[in-house]
Amino acid sequence: MTSEIYFAGGCFWGVEHFFKGVDGVREVTPGYANGNTSNPTYREVYSDTTGFAEAVRVRYNPSRVSLDRLVTLFFAIIDPLSLNRQGHDEGTRYRTGVYFSSEEDLPVIETVFAHISRRLGRRPVTELEPLRNFYPAEDYHVDYLQKNPSGYCHLSLKTFKYLRLFQDIELVLGDEPDRIARMGNAAAMIHGRMGFFWTGFYRAEGDTLVLGPFQGPEACFRISHGKGVCGTAWAKGETLVVPDVEQFPGHIACSSLSRSEIVVPLPDGTGVLDIDSTEKGTFDSTDAAWLELIASLI
């Protein structure tokens, strides 16, 4: 069985390449969606006069990957609050959107939109509409980044590393019921693949975070609720990206070598995923989006 969904996420070269790496996806076709003319050319779409968005048609096996997962991954590669712009690309052709060909898909997609809206504190500007039309792009756009490995892509290279990492962690963790064991392998895989200075978990015990499985040099055993980056992220229930730890009020220096940090609360409030770097400004919204997805697997 094959189902399909359509995504507009900025330049379709990178979006096509991304979804081709998703387990369970059978076919990805770049093209033009929801415009006002017939059989548009790339030059016509580029003029922003046709109403089309650069988009991809994703055909997938629903027994291997769910629609919920595909839409969730889509939101991990776009800026959902940027109107008619993704990366350096600007214009209505680069707007973001999810277009469905089956009405049965709408409730699933709306559930993901609602989750994203809660996380952002507002509804994304990403369109959610029925598919009106879709025309495949010219042949030279197909597999563009595979044919041109150094070609332009508005998605960062670490996006593709995180996709593989996320899927591999999910596969390795499987149905293992022990939470600490899951944390241990997740920390090892993140640390090994991404090359961070320190990667680990702190587990909630009462009003204290207690050191859990980690990779890297020795660390603080306990962190109080609301203290330091870890305790603050835990108290607020939100991811904190800190470009320079020395500028964070009340920073707890477990290691003098740490320069920047990201802390992701576990979804059930039972701890945090903490990652440190020896360089300033290492982490950004891409890291936050993917590490939140990884934390959801714990």
Side-chain angles (χ1 to χ4, degrees):
M1 178 181 178
T2 300
S3 298
E4 64 181 31
I5 189 69
Y6 298 76
F7 296 115
C11 176
F12 50 21
W13 293 341
V15 180
E16 178 205 33
H17 194 66
F18 173 82
F19 278 106
K20 284 198 169 183
V22 175
D23 295 338
V25 168
R26 289 178 165 168
E27 177 187 288
V28 186
T29 303
Y32 314 113
N34 281 21
N36 305 319
T37 63
S38 298
N39 297 308
T41 65
Y42 178 72
R43 184 179 295 276
E44 290 170 341
V45 173
Y46 195 83
S47 71
D48 267 352
T49 60
T50 64
F52 281 97
E54 287 195 15
V56 296
R57 178 178 62 207
V58 176
R59 288 179 169 159
Y60 63 98
N61 181 347
S63 67
R64 291 194 57 204
V65 62
S66 66
L67 177 60
D68 172 273
R69 167 62 59 80
L70 291 173
V71 179
T72 299
L73 290 177
F74 169 70
F75 273 107
I77 66 170
I78 66 167
D79 179 351
L81 297 179
S82 181
L83 181 64
N84 299 330
R85 183 184 178 92
Q86 291 295 301
H88 297 297
D89 303 316
E90 188 171 6
T92 58
R93 64 193 178 280
Y94 295 123
R95 67 188 184 273
T96 58
V98 180
Y99 310 122
F100 55 92
S101 56
S102 171
E103 285 290 337
E104 296 178 357
D105 290 341
L106 183 56
V108 175
I109 302 171
E110 286 182 326
T111 297
V112 179
F113 266 72
H115 171 76
I116 297 298
S117 297
R118 287 193 296 272
R119 180 167 65 83
L120 296 173
R122 55 178 286 195
R123 187 170 175 83
V125 298
T126 303
E127 293 179 339
L128 173 54
E129 299 177 354
L131 181 76
R132 300 196 306 274
N133 48 36
F134 178 82
Y135 297 95
E138 295 85 342
D139 287 345
Y140 70 90
H141 291 295
V142 178
D143 292 326
Y144 183 86
L145 290 180
Q146 186 174 329
K147 298 171 185 173
N148 304 273
S150 60
Y152 168 77
C153 179
H154 71 290
L155 301 180
S156 66
L157 290 178
K158 64 183 174 182
T159 294
F160 303 99
K161 290 181 66 176
Y162 270 124
L163 171 62
R164 189 71 265 159
L165 174 63
F166 170 72
Q167 294 182 135
D168 287 350
I169 289 177
E170 183 175 41
L171 183 64
V172 168
L173 298 189
D175 58 0
E176 168 57 50
D178 188 274
R179 187 179 182 85
I180 293 179
R182 295 175 73 85
M183 288 178 175
N185 263 340
M189 293 178 72
I190 297 168
H191 196 73
R193 298 280 187 91
M194 305 304 291
F196 296 132
F197 170 62
W198 196 94
T199 306
F201 292 88
Y202 279 91
R203 297 169 290 110
E205 291 189 5
D207 62 353
T208 304
L209 290 173
V210 180
L211 183 64
F214 71 92
Q215 298 282 316
E218 63 273 15
C220 302
F221 280 111
R222 294 174 180 270
I223 299 174
S224 298
H225 187 264
K227 301 298 183 180
V229 183
C230 288
T232 302
W234 181 38
K236 290 184 174 181
E238 64 183 48
T239 298
L240 293 183
V241 177
V242 183
D244 182 354
V245 295
E246 298 299 331
Q247 301 302 313
F248 188 88
H251 168 62
I252 300 173
C254 294
S255 171
S256 61
L257 296 178
S258 178
R259 292 291 180 268
S260 61
E261 186 173 3
I262 183 170
V263 179
V264 180
L266 301 184
D268 53 8
T270 59
V272 300
L273 168 60
D274 177 26
I275 300 178
D276 289 53
S277 169
T278 57
E279 303 292 331
K280 293 182 181 180
T282 296
F283 308 104
D284 57 23
S285 60
T286 296
D287 298 278
W290 284 101
L291 291 171
E292 286 172 1
L293 286 176
I294 290 171
S296 73
L297 298 175
I298 303 303

